[in-house]
Amino acid sequence: KRETMAVAIDISDRFLGSVSTSSRHRYLDSKVRYQLLATTSVYIAVKTTEDTVCDSQFIADLARGLYSKESVERTELDILTELGWHVSVPTSIQFVYTALSIIHHQVHLPDSTWANFLDEVSIQVCSHCVYLLPRCSEADASVVLLTFRSRMD
């Protein structure tokens, strides 16, 4: 789901924004460590937003030997500790969806109109976040990219 990916990107983004410069470079200067961080962030997001259950061994197996179950678990603990276990913070897109769901029943429009409207709001939120909340821009850009990709399919 788009929301799960937005949460995953938010988790990794907040983690990289909160660690020391040396720790940040340790993840950003190594493709394998960065992939481990991103994959573990998706793993955490799936655990907190989806009904699907998977374990760290499954995540390690997906990496085909690139990293171990233990490294996934260690990275997960590093992320959770650094973020103070605050991993389920709402993304800007979730906020917009929640706000619109309040008025959805009061405004009578076809579902296709709501879908187009939500896409446009996503784009607007993204463009505003680039200027107001630089840390959010990656997550919002990814959600918008996923929206366009789903239209292409």
Side-chain angles (χ1 to χ4, degrees):
K1 290 191 221 177
R2 289 182 217 155
E3 292 300 318
T4 304
M5 292 308 296
V7 170
I9 293 168
D10 181 67
I11 288 169
S12 63
D13 201 27
R14 286 187 300 122
F15 174 77
L16 288 172
S18 65
V19 297
S20 68
T21 303
S22 61
S23 293
R24 185 177 313 116
H25 284 292
R26 192 178 70 137
Y27 284 101
L28 295 177
D29 292 344
S30 166
K31 184 177 178 180
V32 173
R33 283 192 199 111
Y34 185 74
Q35 184 179 2
L36 174 62
L37 172 66
T39 303
T40 304
S41 297
V42 171
Y43 174 53
I44 294 168
V46 166
K47 287 170 55 172
T48 59
T49 63
E50 302 282 341
D51 295 329
T52 305
V53 178
C54 64
D55 62 3
S56 54
Q57 184 60 56
F58 176 75
I59 301 301
D61 291 343
L62 287 176
R64 298 181 182 172
L66 198 55
Y67 34 84
S68 66
K69 170 188 172 189
E70 292 76 22
S71 61
V72 171
E73 291 171 353
R74 187 172 40 255
T75 304
E76 178 184 21
L77 185 58
D78 289 347
I79 293 169
L80 294 174
T81 302
E82 187 64 38
L83 297 181
W85 293 75
H86 296 284
V87 293
S88 295
V89 297
T91 64
S92 56
I93 300 302
Q94 289 170 329
F95 174 78
V96 169
Y97 284 143
T98 301
L100 290 175
S101 71
I102 294 169
I103 65 167
H104 180 264
H105 299 292
Q106 298 169 357
V107 179
H108 302 288
L109 295 171
D111 287 342
S112 61
T113 303
W114 279 108
N116 290 335
F117 180 70
L118 289 174
D119 283 346
E120 291 301 318
V121 169
S122 298
I123 292 168
Q124 292 301 316
V125 168
C126 179
S127 64
H128 283 79
C129 282
V130 169
Y131 298 107
L132 302 175
L133 301 168
R135 201 180 74 200
C136 293
S137 62
E138 287 183 39
D140 292 325
S142 295
V143 170
V144 171
L145 177 62
L146 290 171
T147 300
F148 287 125
R149 281 188 182 162
S150 68
R151 281 185 175 180
M152 300 296 280
D153 293 341

